[in-house]
Amino acid sequence: MTIFTALAERKWLWSYIGVVAVFAIIAAISQNSLLTLSASITFASFYILVGLGQMLVITTGPGNIDLSIPNTIGFVGALSFSIMNEANANIPLGLIVGLVGGALVGVFNYGLIRAIRMPPMIATLASSLIVRTITIIYFRGMQIKPPDGLAWFVNLRLLHIPVIFLVAVAAALVIQLVLARTGYGRCIQAIGQNIKAAWLCGINVKGCKLVTYVLSGVFAGLCGILLAAFSGGTGLNMGDEYMLNSIAVVVMGGSSVAGGKSNAIGIIGSAVLLYLIVNLLNILGMEAGLRYIFTGVVIVGIIFLSGEKIRLK
């Protein structure tokens, strides 16, 4: 097997190659390359978490994308921190309530898809607006501060490696095992490849999709809690950048945008790559508009090199 054959069969390797290439450029032009890498993997942790949930949704087939993720992040962050009320003793209860809140958003998303027969993108977008409105009404856009214990945890480092990055990597490894070794993982991949054939084989398509949207809500909620703690408080718009980026890290990580084939390990590399690119452009002094254009070109280029194609049905 040649290196080119290996890269063709393991599309997720492209993201890691990109990480090495971009970091080499940063190291050549910056004296603080290690600090840049440390910052990049810290912020990449949040991309990994939302990317895992989005990946599971995308795995179930074309058109399945969760657009409620940004406002779920803001809602769960505010909900969880309101329960914690800056008290360390309330952290476990706040975490549980927050993750349950994220799960309920997932249930509501799938309820709209099933009951009203809405396309998933429209259903989750409508759900996102409802969740945002609830956040405004009940939390009034207030910046609720995290308990000191949670703030300490998200800034903790082990051997100079951010703990939240280790949490995100552990989550990715668990999801990779779920995809490869469990009935649920095999079922959602079968659904993504051919939903009718999966149903004829006796797979509980409705149940698997419900679990998938619930997991997406839970991962978005976990990201919201950790992101708010890291940022020093909740914010109504703190999840806005994660709508498109959650999709980008999935595709850049080697998962099929057409569904049916996913790779959680690739999301780790693609998330780090995406934030390294952002930091590289900042070092070069590129203005925001040009950064978005350049980042988009890089994403399209990686997808093209990986040979990704969308199945038409």
Side-chain angles (χ1 to χ4, degrees), residues 46 161 193 201:
F46 308 117
I161 301 175
Q193 292 168 12
C201 290

Side-chain angles (χ1 to χ4, degrees), residues 67 128 142 163 214 235:
L67 298 182
S128 180
M142 296 184 296
V163 167
V214 167

Side-chain angles (χ1 to χ4, degrees), residues 79-134:
L79 174 64
S80 182
F81 280 19
S82 67
I83 298 296
M84 294 180 190
N85 196 28
E86 299 186 43
N88 290 336
N90 294 334
I91 291 176
L93 179 60
L95 286 171
I96 293 171
V97 172
L99 295 180
V100 169
L104 290 176
V105 173
V107 171
F108 184 65
N109 283 336
Y110 189 66
L112 288 177
I113 295 170
R114 288 301 308 167
I116 312 179
R117 302 290 180 178
M118 280 187 178
M121 285 189 290
I122 297 176
T124 55
L125 182 60
S127 170
S128 180
L129 296 176
I130 294 172
V131 170
R132 185 180 182 88
T133 302
I134 292 173

Side-chain angles (χ1 to χ4, degrees), residues 290-303:
L290 292 176
R291 288 202 306 268
Y292 291 134
I293 294 173
F294 187 82
T295 303
V297 169
V298 171
I299 292 171
V300 171
I302 291 175
I303 295 172

